Amino acid sequence: MKFRDGMWLVKEGIRVEYAEEVYEITKTERGVSLLCPTRKILNRGDTLNRSTVTLDIEAEIDGVISVEATHWDGARRPGPNFDLYPDGKPAVEPKITESEKGTTLTSGSIGATISGKEHNFDIRFHSADGSSKELTSLLARSVALAYTPAFNNENVTEDMRSIKHYMLTQTSLGVGETIHGLGERFGAFNKVGQSVQLWNADGGTSSDQAYKNVSFWLSSKGYGVFIDTPGKVDLEVGSERSSRVQTSVEGQRLKWYIIYGPSPKEVLTRYSILTGKPNSVPAWSYGLWLSTSFTTDYDEKTVNHFLEGMRDRDITVDVFHFDCFWMRGFRWTDFVFDPEKFPDPKAQIARLKASGLVKKVCVWINPYLAQAGEAFRAAAEKGYLVKRKNGDVWQWDQWQAGMGLVDFTNPDACRWYAECLNKLFDMGVDAIKTDFGERIPSADVVWHDKDADPERMHNFYAFLYNKVVYEALQARYGKNEAVLYARAACAGTQRFPLQWGGDCESTPEALGESVRGGLSLGLSGFAFWSVDIGGFEGSPPPWIYKRWVAMGLLCSHSRLHGSSSYRVPWTIDGDDRSEEGCSRTLAKWTALKTRLMPYLFAQAQTAVKTGIPLSLRAMCLEFPNDPTAWYLDRQFMVGDSLLAAPVFEESGEVEFYLPKGKWTSFFTNEVKAGPGWFKEKHGFGTLPLYVRENTVLVLGSRTAKGAVYDYLDGAEVCLYQVQKGAKAELVDAEDKRVGTLEVGDDGKVKGTEVLKGKWKVSETGRDLEGDAAVSIEDLS
């Protein structure tokens, strides 16, 4: 939201009152409280008939300081609130010092200095680790309260019911600074110049709306900002004042945390202490997921035909997903299998698993209960649905006729919903796709929790919804065996993995949108992410399907899913069985991900401990000192050692950037030296996939099928320009660390005694014997 008309004028219809000076500094238990009048106080009379803003600046944890701007402190503090420090709050010792520069609050490695100059408003945030690096600042006209409509007579504030009140802050934006994150956003990777509204919406991937609005952004200057409100937030990222990031909310308070790194990985780790770390997910979830697609027609025979066809084409499917129409039309979500299509679902699922065609089964749900379904009647009778202010159940006909919304602020409703899920688990369902959760009403709505503010509930509903389902899965299957496929999210929802990118079109542009969305969500604290391979809307041409397969199998999780058309490969290209056909392409990329499982699973352990993404991992996380890395939105890292660049052109041509160092092609062992841009032309079995120097890459056996196998049996240990001390952690399929491989003084690998079977070490890249021929042309 913009409050000004250029630099000099206030926007028509808006009244803005800026904090003009720091009049008084009071020391508090954890920091300082600043009294900031909205005019300079030159005499006693200036203290009359004038508003003030109180700025509470407090030490939170090492490297983190909170800032809360308040106008009227008597305003109530409604819920819900983010569940901060879920694993406990680390202790920190606030330090307040006085110097010629002013008053400085230090919280471990970060400090905030309030200028001591008279009649001045100047607050600088800087490192306190010895580097003296300035991060950002609050300068003149950077903290304010605002009203709309504007008024001249203060008496009108006697009745605020027709007046909107806002709080806003503007942090300085340095020359060349870039801003990233803010959830899963499909537009430009660098947010500078954008107006961004944090308000969950079902808008697909081709708009400025987002399913996953996360109130956290990451700066290329080595800090991040977390905005501590689940309600609507408006940001002007260099788009109202080109040298500032403006944050505004409706209400009397605005609180945010500034988080220092100095590296972006350290910023994300500290952010994960605030909002929660991603949980681990089981090995089987990394394998290929096959969906029925959305509005397609299917029954047990169709499902078996698909899975048998995949097996016959040497494509291993680990998880089969039943989308919406496992239930009858007009009855979603009533948790009841369609009796005509699936007369005995428990027996069918058992037969499916016993056949060996699939390991696990997933079903689709959402929190919207159609009026015609059994679940609606039960929930309405027990008071488990959100209500209107007049006491009616809140209903509308969007999506499902007469649908109601489960009220997850009601503990009894949460227990009831978990019981419904347990009936599915009793049938053999192993994972849940938690779709929707964005269209949450904020008007004419009353929640069971009377302290819940409807606007704050809109985004936060995604957290409550996914938490209930995730914890039900954990209760049934174990702490690290729970898996969601969630669409909606807000800050903290990374604790309940995993998330996927929503409704994308079957176009190369949508593939690019999806990459940007995955990169942005990864920079918002989410470790795991997936996408609808082939695109959701429309029917992908074979070349797009195959290029999407390559990208999708390098995501942390991989699912074939569409809208009105199937995504099994033979339906895409008329069952072309050649090496460049859809089936062979899918088989090769699925097999590659299977071989990468020892590496991926070990990298995942680091991701969940630190809050950094496994894949898609933005290049700037690994190469923060390379300015180019902060602009790269057509490539990504898979873990810390593999660089991947999807192909967006039908010709197979692709341009990509290699940072400083030696990089080895995974497919050919050819070595390139960065930094620099390169151009290649690829067939469908490859894309630019380069291994970073000083990497010990552990690959699984070539004969392995699926994501779950003995990663140590028949492993290949591949060395890429290694030096003494290069390491690779070894984990098994149960997510247990079983050893470490390390290069010694003699250049040999130590720790191989835990490997099994016919393992080997390849000293100059991997062994290419047995690979299919590749088609890669260097166009650089």
Side-chain angles (χ1 to χ4, degrees), residues 326-328 330-337 364-386 393 395 400-408 412-413 416-421 423-424:
W326 65 271
M327 296 174 284
R328 292 174 291 173
F330 291 109
R331 287 170 172 79
W332 305 341
T333 292
D334 66 356
F335 306 98
V336 178
F337 275 84
W364 173 98
I365 64 167
N366 68 39
Y368 311 150
L369 306 187
Q371 181 172 277
E374 296 178 15
F376 178 91
R377 289 189 290 273
E381 289 172 2
K382 296 175 181 178
Y384 295 162
L385 301 178
V386 174
V393 170
Q395 291 179 269
Q400 292 288 286
M403 55 151 274
L405 183 68
V406 179
D407 188 343
F408 290 115
D412 290 335
W416 169 80
Y417 201 79
E419 289 170 4
C420 294
L421 295 173
K423 294 176 183 178
L424 296 177

Short mmCIF file of all heavy atoms in Angstrom, two decimals, residues 326-328 330-337 364-386 393 395 400-408 412-413 416-421 423-424:
data_model
loop_
_atom_site.label_atom_id
_atom_site.label_comp_id
_atom_site.label_asym_id
_atom_site.label_seq_id
_atom_site.Cartn_x
_atom_site.Cartn_y
_atom_site.Cartn_z
N TRP A 326 -11.60 -39.62 -5.67
CA TRP A 326 -11.75 -40.86 -4.90
C TRP A 326 -13.04 -40.78 -4.07
O TRP A 326 -13.57 -41.79 -3.65
CB TRP A 326 -10.53 -41.14 -4.03
CG TRP A 326 -10.25 -40.17 -2.91
CD1 TRP A 326 -9.50 -39.05 -2.98
CD2 TRP A 326 -10.68 -40.26 -1.55
NE1 TRP A 326 -9.43 -38.41 -1.76
CE2 TRP A 326 -10.14 -39.15 -0.85
CE3 TRP A 326 -11.45 -41.17 -0.83
CZ2 TRP A 326 -10.37 -38.93 0.51
CZ3 TRP A 326 -11.67 -40.96 0.52
CH2 TRP A 326 -11.13 -39.85 1.17
N MET A 327 -13.51 -39.54 -3.89
CA MET A 327 -14.81 -39.30 -3.28
C MET A 327 -15.83 -38.94 -4.35
O MET A 327 -15.46 -38.58 -5.47
CB MET A 327 -14.70 -38.15 -2.25
CG MET A 327 -13.80 -38.46 -1.08
SD MET A 327 -13.53 -37.04 0.03
CE MET A 327 -12.36 -36.07 -0.94
N ARG A 328 -17.10 -39.03 -4.03
CA ARG A 328 -18.15 -38.70 -4.98
C ARG A 328 -18.26 -37.19 -5.18
O ARG A 328 -17.95 -36.41 -4.28
CB ARG A 328 -19.49 -39.24 -4.47
CG ARG A 328 -19.59 -40.76 -4.47
CD ARG A 328 -20.89 -41.22 -3.82
NE ARG A 328 -20.88 -40.94 -2.38
CZ ARG A 328 -21.91 -41.10 -1.56
NH1 ARG A 328 -23.07 -41.53 -2.07
NH2 ARG A 328 -21.82 -40.84 -0.28
N PHE A 330 -19.80 -33.51 -5.39
CA PHE A 330 -20.65 -32.75 -4.47
C PHE A 330 -20.49 -33.18 -3.02
O PHE A 330 -21.26 -32.75 -2.16
CB PHE A 330 -22.14 -32.84 -4.86
CG PHE A 330 -22.48 -32.13 -6.13
CD1 PHE A 330 -22.81 -32.86 -7.27
CD2 PHE A 330 -22.46 -30.75 -6.21
CE1 PHE A 330 -23.13 -32.21 -8.45
CE2 PHE A 330 -22.78 -30.10 -7.40
CZ PHE A 330 -23.11 -30.82 -8.52
N ARG A 331 -19.49 -34.01 -2.71
CA ARG A 331 -19.37 -34.51 -1.34
C ARG A 331 -17.96 -34.36 -0.77
O ARG A 331 -17.60 -35.02 0.18
CB ARG A 331 -19.81 -35.98 -1.28
CG ARG A 331 -21.31 -36.15 -1.42
CD ARG A 331 -21.70 -37.60 -1.61
NE ARG A 331 -23.15 -37.77 -1.56
CZ ARG A 331 -23.97 -37.51 -2.57
NH1 ARG A 331 -23.49 -37.07 -3.72
NH2 ARG A 331 -25.28 -37.68 -2.44
N TRP A 332 -17.17 -33.50 -1.39
CA TRP A 332 -15.81 -33.30 -0.87
C TRP A 332 -15.85 -32.33 0.31
O TRP A 332 -16.57 -31.33 0.27
CB TRP A 332 -14.91 -32.72 -1.94
CG TRP A 332 -14.85 -33.52 -3.21
CD1 TRP A 332 -15.20 -34.84 -3.39
CD2 TRP A 332 -14.43 -33.03 -4.49
NE1 TRP A 332 -15.02 -35.20 -4.71
CE2 TRP A 332 -14.55 -34.11 -5.40
CE3 TRP A 332 -13.96 -31.81 -4.97
CZ2 TRP A 332 -14.21 -33.98 -6.75
CZ3 TRP A 332 -13.62 -31.68 -6.29
CH2 TRP A 332 -13.75 -32.76 -7.18
N THR A 333 -15.17 -32.52 1.40
CA THR A 333 -14.38 -33.70 1.75
C THR A 333 -15.18 -34.46 2.82
O THR A 333 -15.33 -33.95 3.93
CB THR A 333 -13.01 -33.29 2.32
OG1 THR A 333 -12.22 -32.69 1.29
CG2 THR A 333 -12.25 -34.45 2.90
N ASP A 334 -15.71 -35.64 2.46
CA ASP A 334 -16.45 -36.41 3.46
C ASP A 334 -15.72 -37.69 3.86
O ASP A 334 -16.24 -38.48 4.65
CB ASP A 334 -17.87 -36.73 2.98
CG ASP A 334 -17.90 -37.66 1.78
OD1 ASP A 334 -16.81 -38.01 1.26
OD2 ASP A 334 -19.00 -38.05 1.36
N PHE A 335 -14.50 -37.89 3.31
CA PHE A 335 -13.61 -39.00 3.69
C PHE A 335 -14.19 -40.37 3.32
O PHE A 335 -13.76 -41.39 3.87
CB PHE A 335 -13.31 -38.97 5.20
CG PHE A 335 -12.77 -37.66 5.68
CD1 PHE A 335 -13.59 -36.71 6.29
CD2 PHE A 335 -11.43 -37.35 5.53
CE1 PHE A 335 -13.09 -35.50 6.73
CE2 PHE A 335 -10.92 -36.12 5.96
CZ PHE A 335 -11.76 -35.20 6.56
N VAL A 336 -15.13 -40.39 2.37
CA VAL A 336 -15.77 -41.64 1.99
C VAL A 336 -15.42 -41.96 0.54
O VAL A 336 -15.71 -41.16 -0.37
CB VAL A 336 -17.31 -41.55 2.15
CG1 VAL A 336 -17.96 -42.86 1.69
CG2 VAL A 336 -17.67 -41.24 3.59
N PHE A 337 -14.79 -43.11 0.29
CA PHE A 337 -14.48 -43.53 -1.07
C PHE A 337 -15.77 -43.72 -1.88
O PHE A 337 -16.78 -44.20 -1.34
CB PHE A 337 -13.70 -44.84 -1.06
CG PHE A 337 -12.21 -44.67 -0.88
CD1 PHE A 337 -11.65 -44.53 0.38
CD2 PHE A 337 -11.36 -44.65 -1.98
CE1 PHE A 337 -10.29 -44.38 0.55
CE2 PHE A 337 -9.99 -44.50 -1.82
CZ PHE A 337 -9.45 -44.36 -0.55
N TRP A 364 -6.17 -37.20 -1.46
CA TRP A 364 -6.42 -35.76 -1.46
C TRP A 364 -7.51 -35.42 -0.47
O TRP A 364 -8.52 -36.12 -0.37
CB TRP A 364 -6.84 -35.36 -2.86
CG TRP A 364 -7.30 -33.96 -3.09
CD1 TRP A 364 -6.56 -32.94 -3.59
CD2 TRP A 364 -8.62 -33.43 -2.88
NE1 TRP A 364 -7.32 -31.80 -3.71
CE2 TRP A 364 -8.58 -32.08 -3.28
CE3 TRP A 364 -9.81 -33.98 -2.39
CZ2 TRP A 364 -9.71 -31.26 -3.20
CZ3 TRP A 364 -10.92 -33.15 -2.31
CH2 TRP A 364 -10.87 -31.81 -2.71
N ILE A 365 -7.32 -34.33 0.28
CA ILE A 365 -8.40 -33.79 1.13
C ILE A 365 -8.33 -32.27 1.08
O ILE A 365 -7.39 -31.69 0.54
CB ILE A 365 -8.29 -34.25 2.60
CG1 ILE A 365 -7.00 -33.70 3.23
CG2 ILE A 365 -8.35 -35.76 2.72
CD1 ILE A 365 -6.95 -33.83 4.75
N ASN A 366 -9.34 -31.63 1.65
CA ASN A 366 -9.22 -30.21 1.98
C ASN A 366 -10.14 -29.91 3.15
O ASN A 366 -10.89 -30.77 3.60
CB ASN A 366 -9.48 -29.31 0.75
CG ASN A 366 -10.90 -29.34 0.26
OD1 ASN A 366 -11.84 -29.39 1.04
ND2 ASN A 366 -11.07 -29.30 -1.05
N PRO A 367 -10.07 -28.70 3.70
CA PRO A 367 -10.86 -28.39 4.91
C PRO A 367 -12.25 -27.86 4.61
O PRO A 367 -12.94 -27.41 5.53
CB PRO A 367 -10.01 -27.33 5.59
CG PRO A 367 -9.39 -26.58 4.45
CD PRO A 367 -9.14 -27.61 3.36
N TYR A 368 -12.66 -27.89 3.33
CA TYR A 368 -13.97 -27.41 2.93
C TYR A 368 -14.92 -28.62 2.85
O TYR A 368 -14.66 -29.55 2.10
CB TYR A 368 -13.91 -26.73 1.57
CG TYR A 368 -12.82 -25.70 1.40
CD1 TYR A 368 -12.26 -25.46 0.15
CD2 TYR A 368 -12.35 -24.94 2.47
CE1 TYR A 368 -11.27 -24.50 -0.03
CE2 TYR A 368 -11.36 -23.99 2.30
CZ TYR A 368 -10.82 -23.77 1.05
OH TYR A 368 -9.85 -22.82 0.88
N LEU A 369 -16.00 -28.58 3.58
CA LEU A 369 -16.91 -29.72 3.65
C LEU A 369 -18.20 -29.41 2.89
O LEU A 369 -18.96 -28.51 3.27
CB LEU A 369 -17.24 -30.05 5.11
CG LEU A 369 -16.05 -30.28 6.04
CD1 LEU A 369 -16.53 -30.77 7.41
CD2 LEU A 369 -15.05 -31.26 5.45
N ALA A 370 -18.45 -30.17 1.82
CA ALA A 370 -19.64 -29.96 1.01
C ALA A 370 -20.90 -30.33 1.79
O ALA A 370 -20.93 -31.30 2.54
CB ALA A 370 -19.55 -30.80 -0.26
N GLN A 371 -21.93 -29.56 1.58
CA GLN A 371 -23.19 -29.74 2.31
C GLN A 371 -23.78 -31.13 2.13
O GLN A 371 -24.40 -31.68 3.05
CB GLN A 371 -24.18 -28.67 1.85
CG GLN A 371 -25.52 -28.69 2.53
CD GLN A 371 -26.35 -27.48 2.15
OE1 GLN A 371 -26.20 -26.40 2.72
NE2 GLN A 371 -27.19 -27.64 1.13
N ALA A 372 -23.60 -31.73 0.95
CA ALA A 372 -24.21 -33.04 0.67
C ALA A 372 -23.45 -34.19 1.32
O ALA A 372 -23.95 -35.32 1.36
CB ALA A 372 -24.29 -33.27 -0.84
N GLY A 373 -22.26 -33.94 1.84
CA GLY A 373 -21.45 -35.01 2.39
C GLY A 373 -21.77 -35.33 3.84
O GLY A 373 -22.29 -34.49 4.58
N GLU A 374 -21.45 -36.54 4.24
CA GLU A 374 -21.71 -36.98 5.62
C GLU A 374 -20.94 -36.13 6.63
O GLU A 374 -21.44 -35.85 7.73
CB GLU A 374 -21.34 -38.45 5.78
CG GLU A 374 -22.17 -39.41 4.94
CD GLU A 374 -21.73 -40.85 5.11
OE1 GLU A 374 -20.98 -41.13 6.07
OE2 GLU A 374 -22.13 -41.68 4.29
N ALA A 375 -19.74 -35.73 6.28
CA ALA A 375 -18.90 -34.99 7.22
C ALA A 375 -19.51 -33.64 7.58
O ALA A 375 -19.41 -33.19 8.72
CB ALA A 375 -17.50 -34.80 6.64
N PHE A 376 -20.14 -32.99 6.61
CA PHE A 376 -20.74 -31.68 6.87
C PHE A 376 -21.80 -31.80 7.96
O PHE A 376 -21.82 -31.01 8.92
CB PHE A 376 -21.35 -31.10 5.60
CG PHE A 376 -22.04 -29.77 5.82
CD1 PHE A 376 -21.34 -28.59 5.66
CD2 PHE A 376 -23.38 -29.71 6.20
CE1 PHE A 376 -21.95 -27.36 5.86
CE2 PHE A 376 -24.00 -28.49 6.41
CZ PHE A 376 -23.29 -27.31 6.24
N ARG A 377 -22.68 -32.75 7.82
CA ARG A 377 -23.77 -32.88 8.78
C ARG A 377 -23.24 -33.14 10.18
O ARG A 377 -23.69 -32.54 11.16
CB ARG A 377 -24.73 -33.99 8.36
CG ARG A 377 -25.56 -33.64 7.13
CD ARG A 377 -26.64 -34.67 6.86
NE ARG A 377 -26.07 -35.93 6.39
CZ ARG A 377 -25.79 -36.19 5.12
NH1 ARG A 377 -26.02 -35.26 4.21
NH2 ARG A 377 -25.30 -37.36 4.76
N ALA A 378 -22.26 -34.02 10.29
CA ALA A 378 -21.69 -34.33 11.60
C ALA A 378 -21.00 -33.12 12.20
O ALA A 378 -21.18 -32.81 13.39
CB ALA A 378 -20.70 -35.49 11.46
N ALA A 379 -20.23 -32.42 11.38
CA ALA A 379 -19.49 -31.27 11.88
C ALA A 379 -20.42 -30.12 12.26
O ALA A 379 -20.21 -29.43 13.27
CB ALA A 379 -18.48 -30.81 10.85
N ALA A 380 -21.45 -29.89 11.45
CA ALA A 380 -22.39 -28.80 11.73
C ALA A 380 -23.14 -29.06 13.02
O ALA A 380 -23.34 -28.15 13.85
CB ALA A 380 -23.36 -28.64 10.56
N GLU A 381 -23.58 -30.29 13.22
CA GLU A 381 -24.33 -30.63 14.44
C GLU A 381 -23.49 -30.44 15.70
O GLU A 381 -23.99 -30.03 16.75
CB GLU A 381 -24.81 -32.08 14.36
CG GLU A 381 -25.93 -32.31 13.35
CD GLU A 381 -26.24 -33.78 13.16
OE1 GLU A 381 -25.62 -34.62 13.85
OE2 GLU A 381 -27.10 -34.10 12.32
N LYS A 382 -22.22 -30.71 15.59
CA LYS A 382 -21.34 -30.62 16.77
C LYS A 382 -20.69 -29.25 16.93
O LYS A 382 -19.95 -29.03 17.90
CB LYS A 382 -20.25 -31.69 16.66
CG LYS A 382 -20.81 -33.11 16.70
CD LYS A 382 -19.70 -34.14 16.47
CE LYS A 382 -20.27 -35.55 16.48
NZ LYS A 382 -19.24 -36.59 16.22
N GLY A 383 -20.97 -28.32 16.02
CA GLY A 383 -20.40 -26.99 16.14
C GLY A 383 -18.95 -26.90 15.73
O GLY A 383 -18.21 -26.06 16.25
N TYR A 384 -18.56 -27.73 14.77
CA TYR A 384 -17.16 -27.77 14.35
C TYR A 384 -16.87 -26.92 13.12
O TYR A 384 -15.74 -26.93 12.62
CB TYR A 384 -16.73 -29.21 14.05
CG TYR A 384 -16.76 -30.14 15.25
CD1 TYR A 384 -16.77 -31.52 15.07
CD2 TYR A 384 -16.77 -29.63 16.54
CE1 TYR A 384 -16.78 -32.38 16.16
CE2 TYR A 384 -16.78 -30.49 17.64
CZ TYR A 384 -16.80 -31.87 17.43
OH TYR A 384 -16.81 -32.71 18.51
N LEU A 385 -17.86 -26.18 12.64
CA LEU A 385 -17.67 -25.36 11.45
C LEU A 385 -17.68 -23.88 11.80
O LEU A 385 -18.35 -23.46 12.76
CB LEU A 385 -18.76 -25.66 10.42
CG LEU A 385 -18.85 -27.10 9.94
CD1 LEU A 385 -20.01 -27.26 8.95
CD2 LEU A 385 -17.54 -27.55 9.29
N VAL A 386 -16.94 -23.10 11.05
CA VAL A 386 -16.91 -21.65 11.22
C VAL A 386 -18.32 -21.08 11.02
O VAL A 386 -19.08 -21.57 10.16
CB VAL A 386 -15.92 -21.02 10.22
CG1 VAL A 386 -15.99 -19.50 10.27
CG2 VAL A 386 -14.51 -21.50 10.51
N VAL A 393 -24.05 -21.29 10.12
CA VAL A 393 -22.80 -21.85 9.62
C VAL A 393 -22.37 -21.02 8.42
O VAL A 393 -23.19 -20.71 7.54
CB VAL A 393 -22.98 -23.33 9.22
CG1 VAL A 393 -21.75 -23.85 8.48
CG2 VAL A 393 -23.24 -24.18 10.47
N GLN A 395 -21.28 -20.52 4.97
CA GLN A 395 -21.31 -21.35 3.76
C GLN A 395 -21.27 -20.48 2.52
O GLN A 395 -21.67 -19.31 2.55
CB GLN A 395 -22.61 -22.20 3.72
CG GLN A 395 -22.69 -23.28 4.76
CD GLN A 395 -24.01 -24.04 4.65
OE1 GLN A 395 -25.00 -23.68 5.29
NE2 GLN A 395 -24.02 -25.07 3.82
N GLN A 400 -17.38 -26.24 -3.65
CA GLN A 400 -18.36 -27.28 -3.36
C GLN A 400 -19.67 -26.63 -2.89
O GLN A 400 -19.65 -25.68 -2.10
CB GLN A 400 -17.83 -28.23 -2.28
CG GLN A 400 -16.67 -29.10 -2.74
CD GLN A 400 -17.09 -30.19 -3.72
OE1 GLN A 400 -17.71 -31.19 -3.35
NE2 GLN A 400 -16.76 -30.00 -4.99
N ALA A 401 -20.77 -27.17 -3.37
CA ALA A 401 -22.07 -26.58 -3.07
C ALA A 401 -22.32 -26.55 -1.56
O ALA A 401 -22.25 -27.58 -0.88
CB ALA A 401 -23.17 -27.38 -3.76
N GLY A 402 -22.62 -25.36 -1.05
CA GLY A 402 -22.96 -25.20 0.36
C GLY A 402 -21.85 -25.56 1.31
O GLY A 402 -22.11 -25.89 2.48
N MET A 403 -20.61 -25.45 0.86
CA MET A 403 -19.51 -25.93 1.70
C MET A 403 -19.35 -25.09 2.96
O MET A 403 -19.59 -23.88 2.99
CB MET A 403 -18.20 -25.92 0.92
CG MET A 403 -17.84 -24.59 0.30
SD MET A 403 -16.06 -24.32 0.12
CE MET A 403 -15.66 -23.66 1.73
N GLY A 404 -18.95 -25.79 4.03
CA GLY A 404 -18.58 -25.15 5.28
C GLY A 404 -17.09 -25.32 5.50
O GLY A 404 -16.40 -26.08 4.80
N LEU A 405 -16.57 -24.62 6.49
CA LEU A 405 -15.14 -24.60 6.76
C LEU A 405 -14.87 -25.12 8.16
O LEU A 405 -15.43 -24.63 9.14
CB LEU A 405 -14.63 -23.15 6.63
CG LEU A 405 -13.15 -22.89 6.78
CD1 LEU A 405 -12.37 -23.50 5.63
CD2 LEU A 405 -12.89 -21.39 6.85
N VAL A 406 -13.99 -26.11 8.26
CA VAL A 406 -13.65 -26.67 9.57
C VAL A 406 -12.97 -25.61 10.41
O VAL A 406 -12.05 -24.91 9.96
CB VAL A 406 -12.73 -27.89 9.43
CG1 VAL A 406 -12.37 -28.45 10.80
CG2 VAL A 406 -13.39 -28.97 8.59
N ASP A 407 -13.42 -25.48 11.65
CA ASP A 407 -12.88 -24.47 12.58
C ASP A 407 -11.78 -25.10 13.42
O ASP A 407 -12.02 -25.71 14.45
CB ASP A 407 -14.01 -23.95 13.47
CG ASP A 407 -13.57 -22.76 14.31
OD1 ASP A 407 -12.36 -22.55 14.46
OD2 ASP A 407 -14.45 -22.05 14.83
N PHE A 408 -10.54 -24.92 12.95
CA PHE A 408 -9.41 -25.53 13.64
C PHE A 408 -8.98 -24.76 14.88
O PHE A 408 -7.98 -25.12 15.52
CB PHE A 408 -8.23 -25.70 12.69
CG PHE A 408 -8.47 -26.76 11.64
CD1 PHE A 408 -8.55 -26.41 10.30
CD2 PHE A 408 -8.62 -28.09 11.99
CE1 PHE A 408 -8.76 -27.38 9.33
CE2 PHE A 408 -8.85 -29.06 11.03
CZ PHE A 408 -8.92 -28.71 9.69
N ASP A 412 -11.99 -29.56 19.87
CA ASP A 412 -12.83 -30.73 19.59
C ASP A 412 -12.94 -30.98 18.09
O ASP A 412 -12.96 -32.13 17.64
CB ASP A 412 -14.23 -30.53 20.19
CG ASP A 412 -14.22 -30.58 21.70
OD1 ASP A 412 -13.31 -31.21 22.27
OD2 ASP A 412 -15.11 -29.98 22.32
N ALA A 413 -13.00 -29.90 17.31
CA ALA A 413 -13.03 -30.05 15.84
C ALA A 413 -11.74 -30.66 15.35
O ALA A 413 -11.74 -31.49 14.42
CB ALA A 413 -13.29 -28.69 15.19
N TRP A 416 -11.87 -34.34 16.09
CA TRP A 416 -12.80 -35.00 15.17
C TRP A 416 -12.19 -35.18 13.80
O TRP A 416 -12.29 -36.24 13.18
CB TRP A 416 -14.09 -34.18 15.08
CG TRP A 416 -15.01 -34.61 13.98
CD1 TRP A 416 -15.87 -35.67 13.99
CD2 TRP A 416 -15.13 -34.00 12.68
NE1 TRP A 416 -16.54 -35.75 12.78
CE2 TRP A 416 -16.11 -34.75 11.95
CE3 TRP A 416 -14.53 -32.91 12.07
CZ2 TRP A 416 -16.46 -34.42 10.66
CZ3 TRP A 416 -14.89 -32.57 10.77
CH2 TRP A 416 -15.85 -33.34 10.08
N TYR A 417 -11.53 -34.13 13.30
CA TYR A 417 -10.90 -34.21 11.98
C TYR A 417 -9.82 -35.28 11.97
O TYR A 417 -9.69 -36.05 11.00
CB TYR A 417 -10.32 -32.84 11.63
CG TYR A 417 -10.09 -32.62 10.15
CD1 TYR A 417 -11.15 -32.28 9.31
CD2 TYR A 417 -8.82 -32.71 9.59
CE1 TYR A 417 -10.95 -32.05 7.95
CE2 TYR A 417 -8.61 -32.47 8.24
CZ TYR A 417 -9.68 -32.15 7.43
OH TYR A 417 -9.47 -31.93 6.08
N ALA A 418 -9.04 -35.36 13.05
CA ALA A 418 -8.00 -36.40 13.14
C ALA A 418 -8.63 -37.79 13.16
O ALA A 418 -8.07 -38.74 12.58
CB ALA A 418 -7.16 -36.17 14.38
N GLU A 419 -9.78 -37.93 13.78
CA GLU A 419 -10.47 -39.23 13.78
C GLU A 419 -10.90 -39.61 12.36
O GLU A 419 -10.81 -40.78 11.97
CB GLU A 419 -11.69 -39.17 14.70
CG GLU A 419 -11.34 -39.10 16.19
CD GLU A 419 -12.55 -38.81 17.05
OE1 GLU A 419 -13.68 -38.74 16.48
OE2 GLU A 419 -12.40 -38.65 18.27
N CYS A 420 -11.37 -38.63 11.60
CA CYS A 420 -11.72 -38.90 10.20
C CYS A 420 -10.50 -39.39 9.42
O CYS A 420 -10.59 -40.32 8.61
CB CYS A 420 -12.28 -37.64 9.55
SG CYS A 420 -13.87 -37.07 10.22
N LEU A 421 -9.36 -38.77 9.67
CA LEU A 421 -8.13 -39.18 9.00
C LEU A 421 -7.71 -40.58 9.43
O LEU A 421 -7.22 -41.37 8.60
CB LEU A 421 -7.01 -38.18 9.31
CG LEU A 421 -7.20 -36.75 8.79
CD1 LEU A 421 -6.11 -35.84 9.32
CD2 LEU A 421 -7.21 -36.73 7.27
N LYS A 423 -9.50 -43.05 10.08
CA LYS A 423 -10.26 -44.04 9.32
C LYS A 423 -9.61 -44.31 7.97
O LYS A 423 -9.64 -45.44 7.48
CB LYS A 423 -11.71 -43.57 9.15
CG LYS A 423 -12.49 -43.49 10.48
CD LYS A 423 -13.88 -42.92 10.27
CE LYS A 423 -14.61 -42.80 11.61
NZ LYS A 423 -15.95 -42.19 11.44
N LEU A 424 -9.03 -43.26 7.38
CA LEU A 424 -8.29 -43.45 6.14
C LEU A 424 -7.01 -44.24 6.40
O LEU A 424 -6.64 -45.12 5.60
CB LEU A 424 -7.94 -42.10 5.52
CG LEU A 424 -9.12 -41.22 5.07
CD1 LEU A 424 -8.60 -39.89 4.54
CD2 LEU A 424 -9.95 -41.94 4.00
#
